[in-house]
Amino acid sequence: MPPAGHRLPALSAPPPVVSRTRATVAAAAGGALVAAGQTVAGALGVPGWGGEASVEESYARLAASAMLPVSGDTRPADTTAPLDTSAIGGEQLSAQAASLPDLDATSKVDVANLTKAARMGREAAKLERAVTTAMSHGAPKAVLYDGEAFVLPTAGRFTSGFGARWGVQHKGIDLAAPIGTPIFALTDGVVEKSGPASGFGMWVVLKHPDGTGTVYGHINRSFVQEGQQVKAGDEIAEVGNRGQSTGPHLHLEVWEPDGTKIDPLPWLAARGLDVTAATGSRDA
């Protein structure tokens, strides 16, 4: 006589649908479930999740429940036969089953959630690496803007802004620092100019992927050549006092793609960089 429907012998052959679903949970419990285990456990109604149990205990219960036998009958499941409600708890099981979503559909949702969590983890790691790399040469600060790294160009003191100064138009900002202080590429780009420049003595000009240009003037030495690819935070030059300068400083300009020179302060601020944090009082 086949065993009663409510008994659970030691060996079992799960029905196809439940087997596939629990296999999904078992696989998830092995690794990716660390990121999205609560989503899976909640969706499948796994007992013992949360409460006073520790996270480790909850994961252990979840993995164990995925491996439990669900039937003592080793014969293929008869999906056409009506559910036996004469067994203990059969009436409640019937009512509960009617209210549950399709298990295959639930599995697909859970796998999608796990995949999304893994993707978000990879993206977070990628962004963290970008900031770490941008600061690896000594840049004082690095941020991410629209997925791209930007850095403070030097560890200088803001001394002069954009606009009229001494009867002429000052087309950039000045950051005072000792001669030899490193100057870093604001963001990824290509070296467009490197060498002598009228008024600046020497300069470096970078062209960035969106067409924007950045200018680093009055430099003491350049460490890059025209046509060279640079990354955010690469050391491209050092602060100097060449050209028409009253003291060692970096003169920084920002050019729009059409060549228009704009105020670097709001441009930098929009990207999360504030060069006026240690504002000075003298012009350079």
Side-chain angles (χ1 to χ4, degrees):
M1 177 181 295
H6 63 281
R7 298 182 61 189
L8 299 176
L11 298 177
S12 63
V17 173
V18 176
S19 176
R20 286 195 300 272
T21 301
R22 298 209 170 181
T24 298
V25 176
L33 194 54
V34 173
Q38 290 179 328
T39 300
V40 177
L44 298 183
V46 175
W49 183 270
E52 296 181 358
S54 67
V55 174
E56 291 79 5
E57 291 171 341
S58 296
Y59 282 129
R61 291 174 184 172
L62 178 58
S65 68
M67 300 304 182
L68 286 176
V70 296
S71 172
D73 195 342
T74 58
R75 297 172 300 174
D78 185 354
T79 58
T80 63
L83 183 66
D84 182 5
T85 59
S86 63
I88 297 175
E91 294 83 357
Q92 292 87 339
L93 178 59
S94 179
Q96 185 181 27
S99 65
L100 288 174
D102 176 75
L103 290 177
D104 276 346
T106 301
S107 290
K108 292 177 182 178
V109 170
D110 293 332
V111 170
N113 286 339
L114 290 169
T115 302
K116 180 179 179 181
R119 184 174 65 250
M120 291 174 64
R122 288 194 300 270
E123 287 300 315
K126 178 181 177 182
L127 296 180
E128 183 179 356
R129 285 196 302 271
V131 170
T132 301
T133 300
M135 296 184 68
S136 63
H137 297 295
K141 181 179 180 180
V143 297
L144 287 171
Y145 174 77
D146 198 22
E148 300 295 329
F150 286 79
V151 307
L152 285 176
T154 194
R157 180 168 58 94
F158 177 74
T159 57
S160 187
F162 182 91
R165 188 183 70 169
W166 304 335
V168 296
Q169 194 71 8
H170 188 233
K171 299 296 182 68
I173 60 174
D174 293 339
L175 301 173
I179 292 177
T181 301
I183 297 173
F184 308 98
L186 264 168
T187 189
D188 296 358
V190 178
V191 179
E192 195 169 66
K193 301 288 183 182
S194 176
S198 177
F200 291 128
M202 287 187 68
W203 70 353
V204 169
V205 180
L206 301 182
K207 181 70 72 173
H208 304 291
D210 65 353
T212 301
T214 51
V215 176
Y216 311 78
H218 303 301
I219 64 173
N220 188 52
R221 289 188 299 169
S222 171
F223 302 130
V224 292
Q225 299 177 345
E226 294 180 9
Q228 180 178 337
Q229 295 273 352
V230 296
K231 304 292 289 184
D234 284 352
E235 185 175 353
I236 58 174
E238 61 184 19
V239 172
N241 190 34
R242 296 179 183 274
Q244 299 174 11
S245 173
T246 60
H249 70 286
L250 166 64
H251 174 88
L252 177 70
E253 295 185 2
V254 176
W255 297 351
E256 291 187 333
D258 64 359
T260 302
K261 300 177 181 180
I262 61 174
D263 188 349
L265 287 184
W267 187 87
L268 290 168
R271 287 153 179 78
L273 295 172
D274 181 10
V275 297
T276 67
T279 304
S281 59
R282 68 177 182 83
D283 283 343

